Amino acid sequence: MTTLEIKGLTARVAATEDSPETVEILKGVDLTIESGKTHAIMGPNGSGKSTLAYVIAGHPKYEVTGGTVTLDGEDVLAMEVDERARAGLFLAMQYPTEIPGVSTANFLRSAATAVRGEAPKLRHWVKEVKEAMSDLDFDPAFSERSVNEGFSGGEKKRHEILQLDLLKPKIAVLDETDSGLDVDALRVVSEGVNRYKAEENGGILLITHYTRILQYIKPDTVHVFVDGRIAASGGAELADELEANGYEKYLTPANA
């Protein structure tokens, strides 16, 4: 059983010479994610949902000002970004980065080598990648193309889930993986996430604006994220309430 535990987490955009004064974005987040459980976070734009994802992953743009994040008792905040990945954390980005000149095949094998601690045997690796790409209806020709360069939005998101399949993390943070997907791509991507959960017993933190992905990926818990903190939690029915009524009842007077 793996547990990602977040307690009293506060964070802001890191100060720079151009922006010496910053505003706190996360204002005391408490959240526990365990193996085999899916937590969905929903909230209005600008509420801090993506900031939470990036802070967990270790993005240097954000400065943690308080609280703790632990993975099976180990201090995540003390780890470098690569150490967090090797410890079993994974982030599927809302806007995947293009890496010109680096082939998708080399990128995937390098990532797997770093996470697993040794290079996968080539013959087994080629078979593993082909099967994973087939499951995601991903053209094998993409292996020879530069990472995400010229990929459509749907292809970039499938590539994120391909990494999830091959790297097999303990906890996966999916930051608006459903954005920009048509119905067919949404179904394929959702099936990939469900397959990961079933095969790896992985814990999932799914950040989304819409309930349509929750028709395919059933959450155990839904959290309402407003003004940098969790304002309410409940079962899957909470997502339906948000779809019908919006976030107004959870907003503070200053935000309403």
Side-chain angles (χ1 to χ4, degrees), residues 164-180:
L164 175 67
D165 190 329
L166 295 171
L167 299 180
K168 307 182 190 311
K170 296 175 181 177
I171 302 290
V173 180
L174 311 179
D175 186 16
E176 297 196 33
T177 299
D178 54 333
S179 65

Side-chain angles (χ1 to χ4, degrees), residues 98-109:
E98 295 184 5
I99 312 178
V102 177
S103 75
T104 298
N106 285 339
F107 170 79
L108 292 172
R109 193 157 190 260

Side-chain angles (χ1 to χ4, degrees), residues 30-216:
D30 296 296
L31 181 63
T32 300
I33 302 168
E34 297 177 330
S35 298
K37 299 296 183 182
T38 299
H39 292 252
I41 285 186
M42 304 181 71
N45 287 328
S47 58
K49 302 184 302 298
S50 291
T51 297
L52 174 62
Y54 286 132
V55 167
I56 293 171
H59 197 298
K61 177 181 176 180
Y62 300 97
E63 177 187 356
V64 174
T65 54
T68 60
V69 180
T70 59
L71 183 66
D72 293 334
E74 297 293 322
D75 184 1
V76 170
L77 300 179
M79 300 178 186
E80 298 295 331
V81 174
D82 60 312
E83 293 173 326
R84 299 183 196 204
R86 283 196 293 270
L89 293 176
F90 174 86
L91 171 64
M93 292 183 286
Q94 181 178 359
Y95 304 109
T97 302
E98 295 184 5
I99 312 178
V102 177
S103 75
T104 298
N106 285 339
F107 170 79
L108 292 172
R109 193 157 190 260
S110 296
T113 298
V115 168
R116 299 180 187 183
E118 61 180 5
K121 302 216 178 287
L122 192 56
R123 184 177 63 180
H124 295 149
W125 174 249
V126 169
K127 180 181 178 183
E128 189 178 350
V129 172
K130 283 184 176 180
E131 289 178 352
M133 295 185 93
S134 176
D135 287 339
L136 290 165
D137 292 340
F138 210 9
D139 188 341
F142 279 86
S143 293
E144 302 309 315
R145 292 173 58 176
S146 293
V147 175
N148 291 324
E149 189 174 34
F151 287 23
S152 69
E155 288 161 351
K156 288 180 179 180
K157 296 303 177 74
R158 290 184 199 216
H159 185 221
E160 294 290 285
I161 304 307
L162 177 63
Q163 295 169 52
L164 175 67
D165 190 329
L166 295 171
L167 299 180
K168 307 182 190 311
K170 296 175 181 177
I171 302 290
V173 180
L174 311 179
D175 186 16
E176 297 196 33
T177 299
D178 54 333
S179 65
L181 297 183
D182 61 28
V183 173
D184 290 333
L186 178 64
R187 175 185 53 79
V188 170
V189 163
S190 298
E191 288 173 353
V193 174
N194 289 332
R195 191 162 47 248
Y196 154 75
K197 180 179 177 181
E199 294 178 359
E200 305 301 325
N201 195 35
I204 298 170
L205 177 59
L206 175 64
I207 297 170
T208 183
H209 278 296
Y210 308 106
T211 59
R212 63 178 193 151
I213 194 172
L214 302 183
Q215 297 171 16
Y216 298 95

